[in-house]
Amino acid sequence: MNAAKNLRWLLWIVLPLGFAGVWQLQRQIDVQRAAFGQEQDELVLRSAKVTKIASMEFAPLLADVYWTRAVQYYGNVELQQSKGLDLLWPLLDIATTLDPHLLPAYRFGAMFLAQRAPVGAGQPDKAVELIERGIRENPGYWRFYADLGYIYYFDLRDYTKASEAFLEGSKNPEALIWMKVMAAKIANQGDSAATSKFLWSEIYESTNDEMIKKNALDHLKLLKVQEDCEALDGLNEEFEKRTGHLAGRIRELVSAGLLKGMPSDPEGYEYVIGKDGLAELNPKSPLVETQAKLGRKL
């Protein structure tokens, strides 16, 4: 009995102390986390020019640090969903001011900035500013003109300026011939699925960055979906001419001899006909989520 009584008294003393210790530990963690966040904000919001002056001969090394932080910041999915990417531009601004010849920071940074949320920061104007700085600092690097053309074509829908960017870049003796071809193609056709497919393919082939590669591949898959659905809608119009009504299911087009088999999207899911009578992705296809994120307009 005495032993049990002593144990109860010991628990009454130890447990409150334990809870107090846990509370104090959590409080310290919260304080440290808040301090880290404040330190991070102060670090990235510091003037780029002041930072360059202060860094002196260590500027290129510090530029790499800021560029690495920009990549990590962009890759933080939870941050993108909760707070957006407001600090991305300051990070890139400082990185490229510290080292004006840090080519990846211009190229990939502009893509991070240009794409709309939640994929990117939704700041195409800042992306143009960044690339134009890259061109001024590195006039011999022709691919910056291609990057500028991508932004004007995909994000700003300014086909005149997109064509001008590709044409200007094509004047570089080292530029590939497709730069001049794209300048003419965009000038003549403006927005077209074939042009978009060519440009996204070039982006996919020209980068080793896995995030950018996946993004380009997602766009290429959706362009294939768009092409397939337009073809299926054309067949359904033919079906209507024959029968007097639109097909409600793809299988009706197969039975009518308009298709040899059930067509599938790039992920292997069969297309369906929606309530509006138009072909669309199967609701079970993972590309439905991709389409919602990137948008139908590609």
Side-chain angles (χ1 to χ4, degrees):
M1 291 291 293
N2 289 335
K5 187 175 181 180
N6 291 336
L7 179 59
R8 284 198 298 271
W9 276 106
L10 182 61
L11 289 175
W12 275 105
I13 296 172
V14 171
L15 285 178
L17 291 174
F19 284 126
V22 171
W23 176 82
Q24 185 64 26
L25 178 60
Q26 183 61 50
R27 184 169 177 274
Q28 291 177 1
I29 292 174
D30 292 339
V31 170
Q32 290 174 359
R33 185 178 298 168
F36 175 77
Q38 183 177 359
E39 178 186 357
Q40 184 183 47
D41 290 347
E42 289 176 353
L43 183 60
V44 299
L45 293 176
R46 192 177 299 162
S47 167
K49 292 182 178 178
V50 171
T51 303
K52 184 171 184 178
I53 294 172
S55 61
M56 299 178 71
E57 69 270 20
F58 298 105
L61 178 61
L62 192 57
D64 289 335
V65 172
Y66 272 96
W67 167 232
T68 301
R69 291 192 61 186
V71 173
Q72 293 171 340
Y73 181 72
Y74 174 78
N76 190 328
V77 177
E78 293 181 3
L79 182 66
Q80 289 186 41
Q81 295 175 346
S82 62
K83 295 183 180 180
L85 293 168
D86 293 341
L87 297 182
L88 183 58
W89 165 249
L91 282 166
L92 294 168
D93 181 28
I94 293 176
T96 53
T97 299
L98 288 170
D99 185 356
H101 308 299
L102 188 59
L103 303 185
Y106 293 110
R107 297 203 68 199
F108 302 140
M111 187 171 288
F112 299 161
L113 284 169
Q115 295 183 101
R116 69 180 186 178
V119 179
Q123 297 177 307
D125 292 338
K126 287 294 185 184
V128 169
E129 183 179 342
L130 184 66
I131 287 296
E132 287 181 341
R133 178 190 298 178
I135 291 173
R136 288 195 304 271
E137 299 290 348
N138 307 273
Y141 190 68
W142 66 269
R143 281 200 174 271
F144 280 152
Y145 287 98
D147 296 329
L148 188 60
Y150 297 148
I151 296 167
Y152 277 126
Y153 182 87
F154 289 120
D155 304 295
L156 293 172
R157 309 290 179 185
D158 189 330
Y159 306 117
T160 299
K161 288 188 177 180
S163 178
E164 290 172 355
F166 284 111
L167 181 60
E168 188 63 29
S170 71
K171 297 175 183 178
N172 187 314
E174 297 182 4
L176 298 182
I177 187 63
W178 64 263
M179 290 284 288
K180 187 172 291 186
V181 173
M182 290 312 305
K185 193 174 184 65
I186 295 173
N188 292 332
Q189 299 180 1
D191 181 22
S192 73
T195 303
S196 296
K197 184 176 180 180
F198 185 95
L199 291 176
W200 281 118
S201 296
E202 170 58 26
I203 292 172
Y204 180 84
E205 295 295 338
S206 66
T207 181
N208 293 321
D209 185 280
E210 290 303 319
M211 287 190 296
I212 295 176
K213 216 171 185 66
K214 181 182 182 305
N215 182 48
L217 184 60
D218 285 343
H219 278 86
L220 287 169
K221 288 179 180 179
L222 290 184
L223 283 167
K224 180 65 166 63
V225 169
Q226 180 178 310
E227 181 182 335
D228 290 347
C229 288
E230 288 175 355
L232 290 171
D233 291 340
L235 293 176
N236 207 356
E237 289 177 4
E238 178 62 27
F239 181 88
E240 185 180 24
K241 291 178 182 178
R242 296 184 184 183
T243 64
H245 64 86
L246 290 171
R249 297 182 302 168
I250 299 292
R251 194 166 296 279
E252 294 180 54
L253 302 179
V254 178
S255 299
L258 295 170
L259 283 171
K260 293 183 179 180
M262 293 294 290
S264 302
D265 69 28
E267 297 293 344
Y269 290 79
E270 294 178 352
Y271 291 106
V272 299
I273 295 178
K275 294 180 180 180
D276 58 0
L278 299 176
E280 62 185 28
L281 286 167
N282 190 312
K284 297 180 181 179
S285 174
L287 288 176
V288 171
E289 183 179 351
T290 305
Q291 190 178 67
K293 182 174 68 173
L294 298 179
R296 182 177 291 272
K297 187 69 173 176
L298 303 171

